[in-house]
Amino acid sequence: MTSLDQLLSAFSIIGTVVFAVSGALFAAEKRMDILGFILVGTVTGVGGGTLRDLLLGISPVSWVHDPTAVYICIGASALTYFTVDLYRKRDAWILWTDAIGLAVFAVMGAQAAVAHEVPPMIAVVMGVMTATFGGLMRDVLCAEVLTLMRPEIYISCALVGSAGYVGFYQTGVNESIAATVAFAMGFGLRAAAIWFKLTLPRFGP
């Protein structure tokens, strides 16, 4: 396995775990049972990748071919159920785990699209969809106000991460460096948005 494969594998595991945990913490807020934790956590962890694979025409989708991601989601969600009392200030945990997952999956989605030789713009869109769709499904299942509707910058962070990776790739930057820097760009912007309440201008007075 090359260093790039190892890096992307690590990114994939980290992103899946933190998204599953963020989904499970939402389930905790709704006082669900352990199966609810697992359902919400799994949908959050694999939802974005599922949409990406379907749009790219990958059949079967990645987690059907290799269910490792589903096992990771189940394990992380179940562990969260039994340790949820350790997560003080769960809203903050949700925000920050979601931020990590957002940046990771923006890069992973763009990389998967690039590997299928789609146009650069489509690769960026795939990165954004991969990063945001799992969280969107989590919010719907938990009947929460969509994270996309929060005042802080959100979609832009996924856009920066995925566009950064595609841009670096197109200019011949080493893929491991491209993935690492693009992750830092996406996560850094999201972290700044959370910390400093950064927003984009909104429609209306």
Side-chain angles (χ1 to χ4, degrees):
M1 181 180 289
T2 66
S3 59
L4 174 63
D5 291 334
Q6 292 174 336
L7 176 65
L8 293 176
S9 178
F11 267 26
S12 179
I13 293 171
I14 292 169
T16 302
V17 168
V18 295
F19 257 5
V21 170
S22 77
L25 290 173
F26 261 79
E29 293 297 304
K30 297 299 181 179
R31 304 182 65 82
M32 295 183 183
D33 60 22
I34 189 170
L35 294 180
F37 273 62
I38 291 172
L39 172 62
V40 177
T42 302
V43 167
T44 308
V46 303
T50 299
L51 177 64
R52 176 201 65 219
D53 289 353
L54 290 173
L55 291 176
L56 290 176
I58 300 173
S59 180
V61 295
S62 57
W63 58 266
V64 173
H65 180 264
D66 179 6
T68 302
V70 175
Y71 297 147
I72 291 172
C73 288
I74 292 172
S77 301
L79 182 62
T80 303
Y81 176 84
F82 290 110
T83 61
V84 71
D85 288 338
L86 300 179
Y87 291 89
R88 306 301 178 187
K89 298 182 178 179
R90 284 199 286 269
D91 285 346
W93 276 100
I94 290 171
L95 274 180
W96 288 104
T97 53
D98 183 83
I100 295 170
L102 182 78
V104 167
F105 278 114
V107 174
M108 293 296 300
Q111 190 276 332
V114 165
H116 283 77
E117 301 181 347
V118 301
M121 179 59 71
I122 302 303
V124 172
V125 172
M126 290 296 105
V128 173
M129 287 185 173
T130 304
T132 59
F133 190 71
L136 177 64
M137 292 300 296
R138 172 198 64 204
D139 296 342
V140 171
L141 285 174
C142 293
E144 284 284 336
V145 175
L146 300 183
T147 304
L148 300 179
M149 303 296 291
R150 295 183 68 92
E152 303 94 9
I153 295 172
Y154 189 80
I155 296 177
S156 301
C157 306
L159 178 62
V160 165
S162 58
Y165 178 83
V166 173
F168 290 136
Y169 179 86
Q170 291 292 311
T171 54
V173 175
N174 177 274
E175 290 187 60
S176 297
I177 295 174
T180 302
V181 175
F183 164 78
M185 290 166 59
F187 177 74
L189 180 59
R190 181 60 182 150
I194 294 171
W195 193 261
F196 297 109
K197 306 296 183 183
L198 301 180
T199 62
L200 292 175
R202 293 189 167 227
F203 175 77

